[in-house]
Amino acid sequence: MKFDRRMFTHFDFVQVFLIIPIISVSFVLVYEASIFLAEKQLVYTIVGLLAFFICFILPIRKLAWLIPVVYWINIILLLSVDVFGVERLGAKRWLEVPFTHFTIQPSELFKPSFILMLAYLIYRNPPPKGGYKLKKFLELSFYILLPFFLIAAEPDLGTATILLIVGFGTLFIIGVNYKIWLSIFLIIGLSSPIIYTHFLKPYQKQRIHDFLSEEPSYQVQQSIIAIGNGGLSGKNIEEATQTHFKFLPISTSDFIFAYTVERFGFVGGAFVLALYMLLIFHLLSLNKKLKDDYFARVVTNCVALFIFIYVGVNVSMNIDLAPVVGVPLPFFSHGGSSFATFMIFFGILQNLITFRYFSVKEVIKIL
């Protein structure tokens, strides 16, 4: 790979400076909880960096014609889950890799292709003045709603809903006629009781019931105790009793925010949230810089919305402001799938930002 000085000029180092502290604090917490998990986290980090590098060096704009192919391959994988899927805890979300004991989760693999497909479609047909009209909006909605229904049927309503919000949230930022949004909000408001009664699974209703009940669930109770125990500046390892004595469930993944506050207090929790807030604001600010580059703009907004939703939902369920669902903190919760997915997101994003002023021939020559 031959480096060009312009790569360093256009590379967005702000993202790196904001993400590295998040990964570092996470590793410290996971290491304190379990050396074994920390070793696994180190492997996940290396794999994630490799995924980032691969996505960064790919000539994505030149290979844009392949994006619909990849999208539909992932749709086929989602469809195949119903037939060949491996069932765990009453849900079919995984496919077993032939001749191995490994499984893959097509809904995780789908996320990068989902972002790229939206970018590809909008890049080929940018919104007119006043935003997209109904015909184009329905066409774009098809590519958002199709995976939503397939993933929700697994059932994995959490992931499906996140994709739905990211897809339509991006359309809102890019530009859709306001009359369409008013109609959608009205329809959702009127149909909410029917959706709850006829379409939600019993365990999904139970999550909502637990959230609305006077007493939070056991997991959330322990999370709130851990946050209260942290105080302003946090506790040392021995005094962080909720985590030290295993009262706090899943302390390195779903409830790692509560673990963070117990160890580093309100100050530590605020520091982590500030990093996420700055990262989201920075990504959204790129809309001005990338005004005429709809391909990069769509990817940027999708990534910003993914981070906003993941952080908002995870922290909210830690403090009993949202039902408990398996939504991790990006780059922070222990786990390989989420870490690799977000590294792929940022690899694609950095590729589109860094090489946006390069011609196709220059990109190929460099790579």
Side-chain angles (χ1 to χ4, degrees), residues 338-350:
S338 173
F339 190 90
T341 298
F342 276 95
M343 289 300 285
I344 289 171
F345 285 168
F346 279 93
I348 294 170
L349 180 56
Q350 288 284 13

Side-chain angles (χ1 to χ4, degrees), residues 16 33 77 82 124 153 184 191 193 199 208 218 304 309-310 339 354:
V16 178
L77 289 176
D82 187 51
R124 286 175 59 88
I184 290 175
S191 62
F199 292 97
I208 296 175
Y218 171 81
I309 295 168
Y310 271 63
F339 190 90
T354 303

Side-chain angles (χ1 to χ4, degrees), residues 126-357:
K129 187 177 181 180
Y132 287 120
K133 300 300 187 291
L134 183 60
K135 182 180 178 181
K136 188 62 182 176
F137 175 77
L138 291 176
E139 179 186 332
L140 291 170
S141 298
F142 169 79
Y143 292 93
I144 298 171
L145 291 173
L146 177 60
F148 168 78
F149 287 117
L150 292 177
I151 295 173
E154 292 181 352
D156 188 358
L157 187 59
T159 299
T161 303
I162 289 172
L163 287 177
L164 190 74
I165 296 173
V166 168
F168 285 113
T170 300
L171 292 184
F172 180 83
I173 296 172
I174 295 297
V176 173
N177 189 277
Y178 75 95
K179 295 179 181 179
I180 296 176
W181 294 122
L182 292 176
S183 301
I184 290 175
F185 293 144
L186 181 62
I187 293 171
I188 291 175
L190 294 175
S191 62
S192 294
I194 299 174
I195 293 173
Y196 177 85
T197 305
H198 294 88
F199 292 97
L200 292 186
K201 303 289 183 181
Y203 77 92
Q204 293 165 344
K205 293 180 181 179
Q206 185 61 44
R207 284 179 177 175
I208 296 175
H209 178 269
D210 291 342
F211 168 63
L212 296 175
S213 63
E214 293 183 5
E215 289 291 331
S217 64
Y218 171 81
Q219 297 99 317
V220 177
Q221 287 180 17
Q222 300 306 315
S223 174
I224 293 172
I225 293 172
I227 291 172
N229 188 39
L232 182 63
S233 57
K235 305 291 185 181
N236 58 41
I237 299 177
E238 289 73 21
E239 293 177 335
T241 55
Q242 289 300 106
T243 305
H244 186 66
F245 293 114
K246 312 297 182 183
F247 292 118
L248 182 65
I250 328 177
S251 61
T252 57
S253 55
D254 287 358
F255 290 95
I256 194 171
F257 180 74
Y259 176 20
T260 304
V261 179
E262 185 175 34
R263 278 290 286 114
F264 302 119
F266 174 82
V267 174
F271 172 72
V272 172
L273 291 181
L275 290 173
Y276 281 121
M277 181 183 68
L278 290 172
L279 180 58
I280 292 168
F281 284 163
H282 172 67
L283 292 176
L284 292 176
S285 72
L286 293 177
N287 275 287
K288 184 176 181 180
K289 186 176 183 179
L290 304 170
K291 183 178 179 180
D292 298 319
D293 187 352
Y294 280 98
F295 204 113
R297 274 189 67 191
V298 172
V299 172
T300 302
N301 287 306
C302 282
V303 173
L305 286 170
F306 263 115
I307 295 173
F308 175 76
I309 295 168
Y310 271 63
V311 173
V313 172
N314 182 278
V315 173
S316 296
M317 75 183 194
N318 272 244
I319 58 177
D320 197 28
L321 290 180
V324 176
V325 291
V327 175
L329 277 176
F331 301 115
F332 206 70
S333 296
H334 172 74
S337 297
S338 173
F339 190 90
T341 298
F342 276 95
M343 289 300 285
I344 289 171
F345 285 168
F346 279 93
I348 294 170
L349 180 56
Q350 288 284 13
N351 175 287
L352 296 175
I353 292 174
T354 303
F355 298 113
R356 69 186 184 278
Y357 294 125

